[in-house]
Amino acid sequence: MAGVGFNTLTLVAAVTAAVVAALLHFNPPFLPLRRAPPADLVITNATIHTSDPSLPSAEAMAVRDHRIVGIGSHASIQGFVGRGTRVLDVGGKIVVPGFIDSHVHLISGGLQMARVVLRSVRSRDEFVRKVKEALKDAQKGDWILGGGWNNDVWGGELPVACWIDDITPNNPVWLSRMDGHMGLANLLTLKMAGISNDTDDPVGGTIMRNVDGEPTGLLVDSAMKLVLSIIPDISVQERRNALMRASKHALMRGVTTVIDFGRYFPGTSVDPVWQDLADVYKWADSTGKMMIRACLFFPMETWSRLADLFQESGKALSQWIYLGGVKAFSDGSLGSNSALFYEPYLDEPQNYGLKVMDLDLLLNMTLLADKSGLQVAIHAIGDKANDLVLDLYDTVALLNAMPDRRFRIEHAQHLVSGAAARFGQQKVIASVQPEHLLDDADSAEKKIGVDRACAGSYLFQSLLNNNAKVAFGSDWPVADINPLGGIRTAMFRIPPGWTSAWIPSERVVLNDALNAYTISAAHASFLDDDLGSLSFGKLADFVILSTDSWDDFENGVPISVLATYVGGQQAYP
């Protein structure tokens, strides 16, 4: 090697040795160069959508000790196959991360499954028939509980107590509307609750009355507490059964994690949410009965109690139970004419909706909760309510220094011009429920007018265009847990009976809809270190779908869940 000195040769040799050493130690998760310890499970021959932008798709995945230890090409994962490894060839089927439902009331949903279900009722006669059926197995004095009714599907007429009084003289009845912001009591229940012509409306609620001032049986928002406070407590065993029932239902739909907002509504007791943590969730966790992961939110009024628990345990109580943050309400719902708007309802020209909580109180509690490091989520449906909450969040952000707070607005259904941009500018997460628009398209145009409804309702694409984080959910039992249905609705926006999209400019593409149920949903609750994508080191929660065709998925061909895995263990079927 003429012309090459000793020092040069020494340098080349040293560099070569360093490169070889580096290569020997380089062991990326998706392409191991050394033989890896055997995996517990290897998924192969798959079409994997990872929701991870660094590796958007893959063919195979390895799982060990409930976490992903390898993901990539078929060849790159073969090194994980060893004695005891279960190899699952899925025949090219699409595999996606386990769906995260960003807004549910899980135990309420499980309880509702065993009660009077009025979701499908389409007439007064059918409403009455369902109540009659529930009375067959009831004893005198037993409460008849249930809900899910939607008066909009039978023309808009609201139910009244006299519909059912003659068949329920000996049984108190409480049947909540599908949105949970209105309920119907029969005459016996009204008497038991002491509700009469002389009863004043509570703050943030309405006792609906006829022209003579007599209560009709309908109670709105915080007025519901007058009845809810006299309904007998639900036993611990009933609530535990409800969790099991609800979890199985969620797994059937591919949901592996829920963000649970509990059994709290405006004006009611804050205790049930905390009781469910102690009596139901911790019980299920300690006895090995948890089937899905749950991130729990608690009433804003109890922020200090949650802050103490955070200090004591951190966010994760286990790999099954996470502490989310606190939730409050700013307004009611569109269906109950209690969502707060700048302009009045067309069918009630004097009604602009309800301000459910005093704004100064809400601001003070949000300041304190945020300063304690708690995530804050506030329910807002009407356009004015959303603006008020965005203003409130802006004030808190100016007063409290917090690098990563992830404020949430739950529902964000109706927005004025410019509001979608504020979500992105203020980094406020829009936690929305696509399938609500199937119920609201017709009623929104009737209640607030076509122009207002089409300009500002369910602005999914506008939010994304303005760099807002959008997380999808169901609000179960308001709507069913059904991520595949929610994805389809967000993509096509075609309500029942319609032949074209409602506000077609707000349709989203498949990838964005999937992300809203996976990685964006995980980010929206500070769960993205463990969940939301099929990435190295994350928990192995995933779903195998019934198709191997992305074209089918994108074109809205009906698709079902073949199998759901939680932590690499098959949980459904």
Side-chain angles (χ1 to χ4, degrees), residues 256-276:
T256 55
T257 300
V258 295
I259 314 304
D260 185 7
F261 285 88
R263 296 187 295 127
Y264 172 73
F265 292 96
T268 62
S269 170
V270 300
D271 293 336
V273 178
W274 287 95
Q275 291 167 354
D276 289 342

Side-chain angles (χ1 to χ4, degrees), residues 105-126:
H105 306 274
L106 193 65
I107 293 174
S108 295
L111 290 168
Q112 182 61 53
M113 291 174 74
R115 292 176 173 175
V116 183
V117 179
L118 299 171
R119 174 84 188 167
S120 61
V121 166
R122 307 194 70 82
S123 68
R124 171 178 174 170
D125 289 344
E126 192 177 359

